[in-house]
Amino acid sequence: MLMNCWYVAADAIDVTTEPKGVHMLGQDLVVFRDSAGKAHCLSDVCVHRGGSLCRGKVVEGTVECPYHGWRFDGAGNCVAIPSLGPDATIPKRARIDSYPVEEKYGWIWVFLGDAPEAERPPMPDYFPEYEAYEKGETDEWAFVRGNFIFECNWVRAIENGSDHTHAYFVHTDFGSPDSPVASDYDLDIDEAKIESVGYATPTKKRGLWAEKIDENRPDVRTMVHINKPAPSIRIEMHLKPPMWQMIVSGYTPIDENRTRVWFCQGRNFFTDPKYDADSRRRVLLVFQEDAKVIDHIRPAMVPPTLSDELALENDKHGIEFRKWVKSQEEIGRAIDLKAAEDEDEMVTVIPSPARHDDPKNWVLDPVATKKPRILREAAE
Ligand code: FES
Ligand SMILES: [Fe+2]
């Protein structure tokens, strides 16, 4: 699991002036809104005696610990210690990690890492249809959203989401094992994205969609776009032009072995809200079909080198993502949760940007990270 990335933490609508606990990247976090409606994300662990802040309440824009009532503002600074009285000097170490938050596409995104603003990767910018819909500028689109948990590692899950050839065997509504030959595709890669466009043989649709999307149609243009530093995927499927759908999904590791996928599907057909339940059911069916396979792949984690599995040319999209994850591990951005578990009497936290300039005067230690290869080899 990588630090210094943007992750979807919650549906924006669910983040209110009631503190909400979120478990991601093996960390306990609390999200809440202040009185101006701005969303904040802090480590959930109170540095006094370990109270769980999400079980407290929001008072005057601060989150109040349920144990002794210390209050922390959105920046993570303690602003009140009731037992010391109103004129108390607050100790410098009475602060907790606060993570940058952005609200976009109906989600609360949290930057889990210590990179200062100038060094942070930009937020994804790949969903203009949703932004137009949010602003009331279009009625061309209908959207459904939700989330689904894979019992598998997040890199395995993203590789699955970008896999052009599994649909023939895994997804009954998008492919058939009778015509499994996949088209070639090229990759378009930059700092943030890995993108590919393939063409799939159309299959017979079932249920409601069969009325409009019959078999008499061209190969289905399928665009897959991975955003690396905000682990997420946009998939476009041009089912029967001009009818098409896109699914944008944020992949958030809960821990090494579980991944929550936050999805928002848009479609420019059957846009009446009465069709939403059917659309949501179809998206969930896709994830359920994937889960039947990817919840059981071995090893659970992506193996250490590329030659430990036999990748084909068609697998290059996922492999490119795997290489990027490895590159991040090599610069010390991968959390070593096992090391953290070995010290189970300790709570460790992902360092926040405030630690970058001021690494001292923190109560909790930063989480252990996997050693880059150069250091591992030096130690051997
Ligand atoms: S544990 Fe939070 S105020 Fe004491
Ligand atoms: Fe799939």
Side-chain angles (χ1 to χ4, degrees), residues 2-157:
L2 298 178
M3 301 189 293
N4 283 319
C5 290
W6 289 99
Y7 293 99
V8 175
D11 277 315
I13 200 170
D14 292 335
V15 176
T16 66
T17 49
E18 290 287 315
K20 177 180 173 62
V22 172
H23 190 73
M24 52 197 274
L25 282 74
Q27 304 279 307
D28 289 320
L29 306 172
V30 57
V31 290
F32 65 98
R33 286 186 197 275
D34 62 24
S35 16
K38 185 170 168 25
H40 301 280
C41 176
L42 309 179
S43 163
D44 186 57
V45 184
C46 178
V47 291
H48 177 219
R49 288 289 175 272
S52 170
L53 297 175
C54 70
R55 289 165 173 81
K57 57 187 176 190
V58 173
V59 184
E60 294 168 4
T62 66
V63 61
E64 183 184 277
C65 180
Y67 203 172
H68 312 93
W70 291 23
R71 291 183 188 173
F72 299 91
D73 66 15
N77 295 313
C78 182
V79 294
I81 298 183
S83 64
L84 296 182
D87 302 322
T89 304
I90 309 278
K92 180 132 202 265
R93 293 171 81 226
R95 57 178 175 172
I96 52 186
D97 290 86
S98 163
Y99 303 99
V101 170
E102 292 279 348
E103 200 162 336
K104 197 166 186 183
Y105 309 144
W107 288 309
I108 298 294
W109 298 74
V110 175
F111 184 80
L112 291 182
D114 64 352
E117 190 166 6
E119 291 169 25
R120 271 171 231 155
M123 285 284 291
D125 192 16
Y126 51 31
F127 204 3
E129 300 84 359
Y130 191 83
E131 285 179 309
Y133 158 84
E134 247 184 342
K135 289 182 198 148
E137 292 171 355
T138 177
D139 55 8
E140 194 187 335
W141 292 95
F143 295 92
V144 292
R145 50 196 314 133
N147 69 81
F148 182 85
I149 295 178
F150 286 121
E151 301 288 333
C152 84
N153 174 263
W154 71 286
V155 184
R156 292 289 203 189

Side-chain angles (χ1 to χ4, degrees), residues 117-301:
E117 190 166 6
E119 291 169 25
R120 271 171 231 155
M123 285 284 291
D125 192 16
Y126 51 31
F127 204 3
E129 300 84 359
Y130 191 83
E131 285 179 309
Y133 158 84
E134 247 184 342
K135 289 182 198 148
E137 292 171 355
T138 177
D139 55 8
E140 194 187 335
W141 292 95
F143 295 92
V144 292
R145 50 196 314 133
N147 69 81
F148 182 85
I149 295 178
F150 286 121
E151 301 288 333
C152 84
N153 174 263
W154 71 286
V155 184
R156 292 289 203 189
I158 289 187
E159 288 184 0
N160 167 254
S162 66
D163 182 319
H164 280 275
T165 58
H166 76 293
Y168 304 107
F169 286 87
V170 174
H171 297 307
T172 47
D173 207 28
F174 290 108
S176 156
D178 299 334
S179 50
V181 180
S183 69
D184 291 336
Y185 61 84
D186 292 322
L187 293 177
D188 182 3
I189 301 177
D190 65 21
E191 284 232 318
K193 74 164 186 245
I194 313 170
E195 190 176 293
S196 62
V197 178
Y199 291 85
T201 312
T203 50
K204 201 171 167 54
K205 287 283 171 205
R206 285 189 308 224
L208 205 54
W209 287 18
E211 285 173 26
K212 287 197 177 191
I213 304 169
D214 54 54
E215 279 182 291
N216 178 23
R217 55 197 171 107
D219 282 357
V220 179
R221 182 178 187 274
T222 305
M223 192 284 291
V224 180
H225 172 122
I226 299 181
N227 185 301
K228 293 175 278 189
S232 55
I233 302 181
R234 172 183 165 109
I235 296 179
E236 286 176 15
M237 283 185 186
H238 296 259
L239 298 164
K240 182 174 183 181
M243 284 182 283
W244 63 290
Q245 67 161 338
M246 84 285 288
I247 303 177
V248 174
S249 311
Y251 286 71
T252 303
I254 298 171
D255 51 35
E256 293 286 19
N257 299 311
R258 281 179 303 165
T259 305
R260 191 186 294 274
V261 183
W262 298 90
F263 66 84
C264 180
Q265 180 237 34
R267 61 191 192 277
N268 68 351
F269 53 96
F270 287 129
T271 52
D272 190 290
K274 71 181 179 193
Y275 298 119
D276 284 355
D278 181 69
S279 287
R280 190 177 294 104
R281 186 187 59 73
R282 283 171 185 273
V283 178
L284 287 170
L285 176 66
V286 169
F287 288 131
Q288 284 155 4
E289 288 172 338
D290 282 324
K292 276 189 199 161
V293 176
I294 67 173
D295 287 2
H296 305 283
I297 44 182
R298 292 147 299 172
M301 309 273 281

